[in-house]
Amino acid sequence: MDRSQKADAVAALNSTFAESGVVVITRNLGLTVAQSTDLRAKMRDAGASYKVAKNSLAKLALKDTDYEGLSELLTGPTALATSTDPVAAAKAAVEFAKTNDKLEIVGGAMGKLVLDETGVRSLASMPSLDELRGKLVGLVMAPATKIAQVVNAPAAKLARVFGAYSTKEAA
């Protein structure tokens, strides 16, 4: 990599950090190419991205961002999982690490808050942003649904009574 390629890589990482809601640092302990491809696909499905970057370039990209505290975690063969959803990258990384012992969760950060491995696992256990939105919509819609059921109930009862009388008279 020449100097201009390194500068481009640092700029790309810096823009990724600026757009991310969460960054999870993982350590690769011998993942095969197939396993790494599977991990990237699972990250993509969750709305996250997974990138292996040189630690020195990642440390340069972390400067002047909210994630500057992560630079001390970048040692050894690491990779970065990022997502705009504060839960997606953590959830995908932790789920993959449960089934594959060659991926280790090192830590992460949500903005200026640096998380250790336990913090990332706790973050992964939370519902995602889409799940929370669904629950909120369900809570908002529940009273309206109940009102509609209460309003329609007398009419349904009358229809059943008329139906019973008509079958009784027909018999």
Side-chain angles (χ1 to χ4, degrees):
M1 233 185 208
D2 66 356
R3 195 176 285 256
S4 65
Q5 290 173 324
K6 288 179 182 179
D8 292 342
V10 168
L13 279 172
N14 194 297
S15 68
T16 300
F17 291 140
E19 297 167 359
S20 296
V22 68
V23 176
V24 177
I25 298 177
T26 63
R27 185 163 289 127
N28 178 352
L29 302 174
L31 286 173
T32 64
V33 173
Q35 291 169 333
S36 181
T37 303
D38 185 36
L39 174 59
R40 289 175 198 274
K42 288 182 180 181
M43 287 282 181
R44 222 178 357 264
D45 291 343
S49 67
Y50 185 75
K51 182 171 182 115
V52 176
K54 288 185 75 171
N55 290 338
S56 57
L57 297 179
K59 287 178 183 178
L60 287 173
L62 284 170
K63 287 184 181 172
D64 301 326
T65 65
D66 289 342
Y67 301 103
E68 202 165 356
L70 288 176
S71 60
E72 61 198 31
L73 299 176
L74 293 171
T75 58
T78 58
L80 306 167
T82 59
S83 68
T84 53
D85 182 353
V87 179
K91 191 171 280 209
V94 168
E95 287 298 318
F96 189 83
K98 283 180 185 176
T99 60
N100 194 322
D101 60 345
K102 294 182 180 179
L103 184 76
E104 176 187 353
I105 307 294
V106 177
M110 284 181 57
K112 293 187 183 281
L113 178 65
V114 177
L115 305 168
D116 59 353
E117 178 190 359
T118 309
V120 172
R121 291 188 185 278
S122 296
L123 182 63
S125 67
M126 294 176 67
S128 71
L129 196 56
D130 289 336
E131 291 171 359
L132 287 174
R133 285 180 181 148
K135 287 180 182 179
L136 186 62
V137 167
L139 289 173
V140 169
M141 294 299 294
T145 305
K146 289 181 181 178
I147 289 172
Q149 289 173 346
V150 167
V151 169
N152 289 333
K157 286 180 182 177
L158 281 174
R160 276 186 250 130
V161 168
F162 290 145
Y165 277 124
S166 68
T167 56
K168 182 178 177 184
E169 290 176 7

